[in-house]
Amino acid sequence: MFAKPYDSPQIIILQTNKSQYMDPLLWSNREHGDNVICVCFSWDGSMLATVSFDKSVRILDAQTGEEIWKFVHHTESVFCVAFPPCPSRLVASCSEDKTIVLWDIHSNQPKKVLSGHTGWVYSVSFSHDAKRLASSSLDETVRIWDVESGDELRSLKGHSGWIYGCRFAPSDGWVASCADDQSVRLWDSNTGEEVKKFAKHWGPVSGISFSSDGKLLASVSSDKTMRLWDLVSGTERAMIEAGTGWLYSCDFSPCGTRVACTSEDKTSRIFDVTTKTELARIFGHTASVACGRFDPTGNFFATSSEDHTIRMCDLAVVLAHPHSKIHCSHSSAVVAAVYSDDGMFALTAGSFGDITLWGVGAGPLMEIRTIQTGKTLETAFFSSDSGQIAALTDDFNVLVFEASNGVLARTYTHSCRVLLARFASPSQIVTITEDGMFHRWDVTSPSAPSKSFSVTNDTSNCVISLNTDGSVLAISSQSELKLLGIDSKTGVRESSRLQLSASVVSVRFSSAGRRLCVQTSDFLVGVYDAVTHQLVQQYQLPQSVATCNISCNGFIGFAGLSDGQLIAASEGLNNLNSIGVFDAHSRVTCIGVHPMDATKVVFGTVTGTFYFLELLPVS
């Protein structure tokens, strides 16, 4: 049992030999040089086929993501790829060049080229025995081909728009298609007759999928809904609002109990077929997710995106903690990852200028909007009422945006680099600049500070931090930490000094202003009472790992380690508990703690990835 707060503090040694958290991302592949439009597993799940606007077809090892073969024959963008659902050496692809190519995966050469469509060919699908192939096209036809001879068997006509998708049913001769005319149609592939038509979407239908027993058909549309159709009764089983953008693809799990869809909103979502509830949401792509597929075991999920990548996720990890361990990515190092004071929102920011606002209240994590500042950012943060977002730029500015719409409201311009900025209140911002000046800015007069005075003569080798309302300044000089009281009328006054064991690396005040966390170069983290300045607790970090950042919020202290591990320590009412270790595979740059729930954190890394985690006790 750890020492109680305010007892004579003992040093708690935090170990890193036990990781309680796993990244759901197994691998990511970026071999394609353009948008990756489709993925498909081989019948046994050992291989993954991918196609792209770069005109190539690639076969990857599904376990490692390494490229096995690359096929080049199409002369334009390739839109779809399909393996047969049974043992076979074939894979089919279709293209903007109006052709379908059947490849022998062991010879690296086209076995047959099927011509006949008069428009771009969007989709291909093998029958259950791999003897026939269906294709759909911009020419408003679905065509059925004999795989052995390459002959066209029949052309299915009825749609009045581009046909985006076609799928053979799992066992019998039905073929489903979906089109720009907002309809889903079911055909008898043997006769060419239209069997059923479903027309309840109010936008182009871009993807379809049969359940493994052939009794259900899923469809997704630009109307942001996924619909489940009962093929026995011919009725709509469910309508699911499944995204905040155009839905591009859908896929049933092999057991038929789950259905997934991918979206323009950069996410994939997995739903329970019976209850229609969202089971999990997969983040990580930085652009629209074009396609998503379950592997034949239902244990893994592969996605492709307009960000030129393919990603493979472990569904056991995703589904075990649907609102935890969510892996996302900025295109540059993450410079801010913080929660709002009310715990309803979070923001993450990349150094290249993008700030993403997240809804983290009741329900699943939701991306609300992304603000493109057009600047190189050093950090970003909320106002106390969550109504505003401020960003600190490398060109001496503090930009303030309205959180409700992302509109730039004010710009505070300085004559030299801004070292630190805080909202003292929703109507005031305080800043400290490289010349050692403290500035207080009012909303009503952003052109010039309402008050400025000097707080230090030398900022070259010091660490600076302000408490929430800007009334207390902590400033270090090697192993000494000065605590200064800030008064808007009289200026600055020294209130206390802390003599530390080594030079200061990081200083953070808690959002409530009750705690001060100080990190030193000898791998110690001290938690102090911000009023009495008494040491409450000390943590010894592993000396084999150099710390890179620390943040605290309320009663929580967190330390990020440079090898990508995160150590969390929670100060409860009566004791202190080590919460856990997480391996992020890259250097942690920033950490935010939920103000209402000590177990929820968000942290970012130097590679641009960031995670929302719900920490569990280490056993």
Side-chain angles (χ1 to χ4, degrees):
M1 185 63 69
F2 297 125
K4 296 180 180 179
Y6 302 105
D7 284 351
S8 178
Q10 68 183 73
I11 294 179
I12 297 177
I13 299 175
L14 298 179
Q15 303 292 340
T16 63
N17 58 357
K18 183 180 290 187
S19 177
Q20 292 292 303
Y21 307 103
M22 295 173 60
D23 188 344
L25 179 66
L26 297 175
W27 54 259
S28 178
N29 180 294
R30 199 183 173 86
E31 294 297 326
H32 281 291
D34 209 329
N35 298 358
V36 189
I37 304 304
C38 184
V39 292
C40 182
F41 283 97
S42 61
W43 69 276
D44 60 356
S46 63
M47 293 179 288
L48 185 75
T50 67
V51 294
S52 166
F53 283 179
D54 68 5
K55 307 175 187 178
S56 72
V57 179
R58 299 173 192 249
I59 309 297
L60 309 181
D61 183 309
Q63 185 174 1
T64 65
E66 294 180 359
E67 185 176 303
I68 304 172
W69 294 289
K70 177 183 177 181
F71 305 146
V72 179
H73 179 83
H74 289 291
T75 59
E76 301 293 342
S77 299
V78 189
F79 294 131
C80 186
V81 65
F83 274 110
C86 57
S88 172
R89 294 176 54 168
L90 293 178
V91 63
S93 61
C94 62
S95 168
E96 184 182 345
D97 64 13
K98 306 176 186 178
T99 69
I100 301 154
V101 177
L102 296 176
W103 305 86
D104 184 320
I105 60 175
H106 295 299
S107 69
N108 200 25
Q109 294 294 324
K111 183 177 181 180
K112 283 186 175 62
V113 178
L114 310 182
S115 300
H117 280 292
T118 58
W120 299 356
V121 188
Y122 281 124
S123 181
V124 286
S125 175
F126 282 97
S127 62
H128 73 283
D129 56 7
K131 293 182 178 180
R132 292 181 295 167
L133 184 78
S135 61
S136 66
S137 169
L138 179 148
D139 65 12
E140 302 182 1
T141 68
V142 175
R143 302 187 186 224
I144 309 298
W145 309 82
D146 183 281
V147 170
E148 182 62 31
S149 66
D151 295 334
E152 181 182 322
L153 300 177
R154 58 191 51 84
S155 178
L156 313 180
K157 299 179 180 179
H159 282 292
S160 58
W162 301 353
I163 306 177
Y164 292 119
C166 63
R167 287 279 191 104
F168 261 104
S171 55
D172 53 32
W174 283 358
V175 170
S177 60
C178 60
D180 195 48
D181 62 9
Q182 304 182 10
S183 74
V184 177
R185 299 175 191 241
L186 201 61
W187 311 84
D188 186 323
S189 64
N190 297 309
T191 64
E193 294 181 357
E194 183 179 308
V195 178
K196 289 183 177 66
K197 176 183 176 181
F198 304 106
K200 288 193 175 183
H201 283 291
W202 53 86
V205 188
S206 45
I208 48 177
S209 177
F210 281 98
S211 61
S212 56
D213 61 5
K215 294 180 180 179
L216 289 177
L217 181 70
S219 60
V220 291
S221 165
S222 67
D223 64 15
K224 307 175 186 177
T225 69
M226 177 165 55
R227 296 174 187 260
L228 303 182
W229 310 96
D230 188 318
L231 300 183
V232 176
S233 65
T235 60
E236 182 182 52
R237 172 80 67 87
M239 187 274 284
I240 303 170
E241 294 181 357
T244 59
W246 189 317
L247 304 184
Y248 290 131
S249 75
C250 56
D251 195 41
F252 278 98
S253 63
C255 62
T257 60
R258 299 169 184 151
V259 63
C261 64
T262 65
S263 173
E264 181 184 23
D265 67 10
K266 310 175 191 174
T267 70
S268 303
R269 306 182 191 218
I270 301 174
F271 295 86
D272 185 286
V273 171
T274 302
T275 65
K276 321 304 184 295
T277 56
E278 183 178 321
L279 299 175
R281 196 174 303 184
I282 303 172
F283 293 80
H285 285 293
T286 58
S288 301
V289 186
C291 183
R293 294 287 183 264
F294 289 97
D295 87 310
T297 68
N299 294 326
F300 306 103
F301 192 72
T303 54
S304 62
S305 169
E306 293 179 9
D307 65 9
H308 305 183
T309 68
I310 305 106
R311 295 167 62 88
M312 183 76 73
C313 286
D314 185 335
L315 289 180
V317 178
V318 172
L319 294 168
H321 302 283
H323 308 309
S324 300
K325 298 182 280 298
I326 295 172
H327 175 284
C328 316
S329 185
H330 283 283
S331 59
S332 56
V334 182
V335 295
V338 296
Y339 286 96
S340 61
D341 282 354
D342 60 9
M344 297 301 293
F345 304 98
L347 69 80
T348 57
S351 63
F352 285 176
D354 52 322
I355 303 171
T356 302
L357 178 65
W358 303 85
V360 295
L365 177 75
M366 178 179 294
E367 181 179 340
I368 298 175
R369 69 176 49 83
T370 296
I371 301 170
Q372 297 294 346
T373 67
K375 302 284 187 177
T376 299
L377 301 184
E378 297 188 355
T379 191
F381 51 95
F382 285 104
S383 61
S384 59
D385 64 356
S386 310
Q388 300 170 89
I389 295 172
L392 181 58
T393 71
D394 72 340
D395 59 357
F396 313 156
N397 289 322
V398 177
L399 310 178
V400 177
F401 299 87
E402 298 293 343
S404 59
N405 55 24
V407 172
L408 178 64
R410 294 174 300 283
T411 300
Y412 300 98
T413 302
H414 299 74
S415 60
C416 60
R417 184 186 174 205
V418 182
L419 300 179
L420 187 142
R422 292 284 185 273
F423 278 101
S425 71
S427 61
Q428 282 191 335
I429 275 186
V430 294
T431 59
I432 297 175
T433 48
E434 195 172 32
D435 57 5
M437 295 295 292
F438 176 97
H439 306 280
R440 189 179 296 272
W441 305 78
D442 294 325
V443 170
T444 54
S445 57
S447 59
S450 60
K451 189 75 174 179
S452 295
F453 47 83
S454 177
V455 292
T456 182
N457 296 322
D458 182 13
T459 62
S460 59
N461 294 304
C462 66
V463 177
I464 298 175
S465 184
L466 272 171
N467 71 341
T468 306
D469 63 5
S471 64
V472 180
L473 172 68
I475 182 167
S476 72
S477 175
Q478 295 183 344
S479 62
E480 182 179 73
L481 185 68
K482 296 180 184 179
L483 298 174
L484 308 176
I486 304 294
D487 188 285
S488 59
K489 295 181 179 179
T490 62
V492 60
R493 58 178 176 79
E494 183 175 324
S495 62
S496 182
R497 294 190 183 203
L498 299 177
Q499 295 297 328
L500 304 167
S501 56
S503 57
V504 177
V505 175
S506 176
V507 180
R508 292 290 188 273
F509 284 93
S510 68
S511 60
R514 297 177 59 182
R515 290 290 184 267
L516 176 67
C517 283
V518 183
Q519 175 185 344
T520 52
S521 59
D522 57 356
F523 307 99
L524 284 175
V525 176
V527 181
Y528 295 83
D529 186 298
V531 178
T532 67
H533 309 150
Q534 290 181 337
L535 180 64
V536 177
Q537 190 60 65
Q538 273 190 310
Y539 298 95
Q540 175 68 64
L541 301 176
Q543 294 197 19
S544 60
V545 181
T547 60
C548 71
N549 198 10
I550 181 171
S551 178
C552 64
N553 199 339
F555 295 145
I556 315 302
F558 281 85
L561 307 181
S562 63
D563 69 346
Q565 292 182 316
L566 172 76
I567 290 184
S570 169
E571 182 185 344
L573 294 177
N574 298 312
N575 59 9
L576 291 156
N577 296 300
S578 174
I579 292 186
V581 178
F582 179 83
D583 191 355
H585 309 299
S586 58
R587 183 167 63 86
V588 177
T589 55
C590 47
I591 306 169
V593 187
H594 195 286
M596 311 300 176
D597 186 344
T599 66
K600 293 180 180 178
V601 299
V602 55
F603 71 97
T605 71
V606 71
T607 60
T609 58
F610 59 97
Y611 299 78
F612 287 89
L613 293 182
E614 188 167 350
L615 299 170
L616 302 174
V618 174
S619 57

